[in-house]
Amino acid sequence: MPNNIEWMAQWKSTRPLTDQWMTGGKLHHFSSHALLLILDGKAIWNINGHRVQVSYGELVAVQENSVIEVIEGSNLDLAGWHVQFDTYAIFPDRGEVEKYEWHVPSGGTYQKVKLTGGTLMSLSQHWNEGGSPDPNAIRVRNQHLMYELLQHVYRELMEEEPTVEQGIFRSVDYMQQHYEQVITRKQLAEIAGISPWHYSRKFSERYGRPPLDYLAHYRIYRAQEELLLTSATSQNIAKKTGFEDAHYFSRRFKQLTGVSPRNYAQTLPQRKIVCLSPLCAEVLIHLGIIPHAVVVTRLLLPEHQLELFVSHQVKVLEVPQYELDVELIRQVQPEWIVGNFWTEEIKQRLRTISPIITGLNHDVEALLHQMAGLFHREDTAHKLHMQMKMEVNTAHLQLKHLVQSSSTVMVLRVESFGYRYLGGHSNGVSHLLYDQLRLTLPQPLQSGEAWFNSCSLDLLAKANPDYLFVEKRVMQHFSAEENMKKLVESSQWNGLEAVKNNRVFLVDTRLWVDGRGIIGHQMILNEIVNSLITPMSDRAQ
């Protein structure tokens, strides 16, 4: 069907992203076109054969007959909405409509768009408003929302012709993809679409060094990673990173790092390290390695971590939630960047600044093991592991009577877009509560495979826990207050055993979700024990 045909989109359904979107291996088949809006967390999907990382604030469009497989999502706090729609061609002269074969504007089988915080707040209000009970009013509202989302998908087509800067970005991308090959300035200028002289001048203005010098630095960054993460020889690393001559590689390596490839790994603890998360920085400090800087979202940073960083003179780089200011990191000139999961796009930008280690575990015990191996601090890590194990054993003894009685314990998260419960088969506090302390999750919640699983008020009533921890989700652009009010005013809430017996405890996102490091581990254990064994009479005072 021609592209200039007049067509319309018809809203079909709007659903929240359920637990099925957070469970590895789950397949989602689309009989209609779809728009997937991510309002919280991150995930890795396979979309029609393409590995795609999605995160907070992104809108993903897929056309009908697409297939999405969930690769990773269970521990990454994913939440959002799934809007399905159909498209029809319009023939005014004949007074007819027929099915229209719509394709995503990018030309592929999916398209990803980043939305701003203000846009997300506006869209989120759509689902939080009570609205009219009139079905026609609801349909009009949903139709309007669908077109608003589609407008963001088409936004990139309305932008101006590619600029010189975009051409330079293309050349940098080419360097990253082909750095092991022979690359000339003429090649890069052709990719950028400008003359070699103009290209060198503009490139140097943008990056502070000529393109081939930039390429040499990039190759050395990758060589540093190979030296740390593999057992390859210097000669093999030289070839793998685009240096045909191993002697020239060693000379260039020493020129840029100050030491030979052979001695480089020993100097790692003294290097200028930037951590992409407070948890990574805290673990490094406990291993005896002081990072130069740490990236934090101040809203989510527990006070005990801030005090730790201040006392060790770690520079705090503040960023919005779920965002990473690459230029801010570039300004501190790191010699290594260390962190957890980020999107591939962010990772590629970070790789132009220094060598990086990403994809580290979010769970403190596993992260401690990974960091100890990288920095050769196994003995220190073992002592810290034993200390944490002893803390758990002490708490378990204090809770022994509660464990034997099989009293049920649940963690409910209240969010601006609904409710979720902490699953019993995940990491973090889930691992602490249900594996290490051996507390009992209510039976109706046993099937939840994700970290946080969708929870209706009816499911909460079925679970009917003996003890209930409630987390009011802290987020940059959203408030949980309205849904908290709805919760405590509901009939389901007032019928809970935990509510009747005054066994409801508010917990802080900053500690229970973001602050479970080595210090936070003991703090959370104390909070659990104090909540579950304190007599009701003492609690009421």
Side-chain angles (χ1 to χ4, degrees), residues 209-414:
R209 57 171 63 105
L212 295 185
D213 190 36
Y214 180 95
L215 175 60
H217 277 76
Y218 188 83
R219 286 169 166 163
I220 295 298
Y221 296 157
R222 305 291 74 81
Q224 288 170 268
E225 293 168 5
E226 292 287 325
L227 282 167
L228 185 64
L229 303 173
T230 74
S231 57
T233 64
S234 289
Q235 189 167 7
N236 287 337
I237 291 173
K239 285 185 178 180
K240 190 172 181 179
T241 53
F243 294 93
E244 287 298 324
D245 186 330
H247 294 294
Y248 174 69
F249 162 68
S250 292
R251 190 166 67 251
R252 196 75 165 112
F253 189 96
K254 187 171 183 178
Q255 182 184 25
L256 295 181
T257 66
V259 295
S260 67
R262 181 192 300 272
N263 298 323
Y264 179 74
Q266 300 166 18
T267 70
L268 186 61
Q270 288 78 48
R271 297 280 165 181
K272 202 174 180 182
I273 299 169
V274 172
C275 294
L276 299 182
S277 76
L279 179 59
C280 284
E282 182 184 342
V283 167
L284 275 183
I285 290 170
H286 279 88
L287 289 174
I289 299 160
I290 310 303
H292 174 73
V294 57
V295 176
V296 307
T297 298
R298 188 64 185 89
L299 180 70
L300 297 173
L301 185 66
E303 287 304 312
H304 71 269
Q305 284 185 335
L306 179 60
E307 291 170 5
L308 182 71
F309 302 149
V310 170
S311 67
H312 286 85
Q313 299 181 321
V314 179
K315 188 177 180 65
V316 173
L317 307 177
E318 294 191 25
V319 298
Q321 186 178 17
Y322 291 127
E323 295 183 27
L324 194 64
D325 190 334
V326 175
E327 292 310 310
L328 185 62
I329 295 172
R330 191 188 300 277
Q331 287 170 19
V332 300
Q333 300 179 322
E335 294 178 279
W336 271 94
I337 296 172
V338 179
N340 309 100
F341 173 91
W342 278 97
T343 65
E344 195 61 30
E345 295 92 329
I346 290 290
K347 181 178 176 180
Q348 291 305 323
R349 291 178 65 194
L350 291 173
R351 295 186 97 204
T352 68
I353 299 173
S354 76
I356 67 171
I357 301 171
T358 61
L360 296 174
N361 206 291
H362 290 259
D363 196 60
V364 61
E365 289 98 336
L367 180 61
L368 186 57
H369 175 73
Q370 288 177 311
M371 290 288 208
L374 289 170
F375 291 90
H376 305 292
R377 293 288 197 275
E378 288 87 354
D379 289 345
T380 305
H382 178 70
K383 290 175 185 175
L384 290 167
H385 272 299
M386 293 306 296
Q387 173 193 318
M388 294 172 74
K389 189 174 180 180
M390 286 176 62
E391 291 168 356
V392 169
N393 289 340
T394 300
H396 178 66
L397 287 173
Q398 292 173 291
L399 297 171
K400 189 174 181 181
H401 176 72
L402 194 71
V403 172
Q404 290 175 341
S405 70
S406 297
S407 295
T408 56
V409 178
M410 175 184 179
V411 179
L412 177 70
R413 169 176 283 183
V414 182

Side-chain angles (χ1 to χ4, degrees), residues 428-446:
V429 176
S430 168
H431 177 58
L432 192 62
L433 283 169
Y434 304 118
D435 291 334
Q436 294 180 310
L437 294 178
R438 299 175 215 162
L439 294 167
T440 303
L441 183 70
Q443 186 59 41
L445 311 181
Q446 295 280 345

Side-chain angles (χ1 to χ4, degrees), residues 3 106 112 121 131 133 137 191 278 313 366 381 426 430 456 467 496 525:
N3 285 334
S106 66
K112 190 168 67 165
M121 276 196 291
I191 291 165
Q313 299 181 321
S426 191
S430 168
S456 65
Y467 296 86
L496 295 177
L525 278 172

Side-chain angles (χ1 to χ4, degrees), residues 31 74 83 88 165 190 389 402 425 431 437 461 468 486:
S31 57
S74 60
V83 178
Y88 300 92
E165 186 159 326
E190 287 174 354
K389 189 174 180 180
L402 194 71
H425 313 287
H431 177 58
L437 294 178
L468 179 62
K486 288 179 185 176

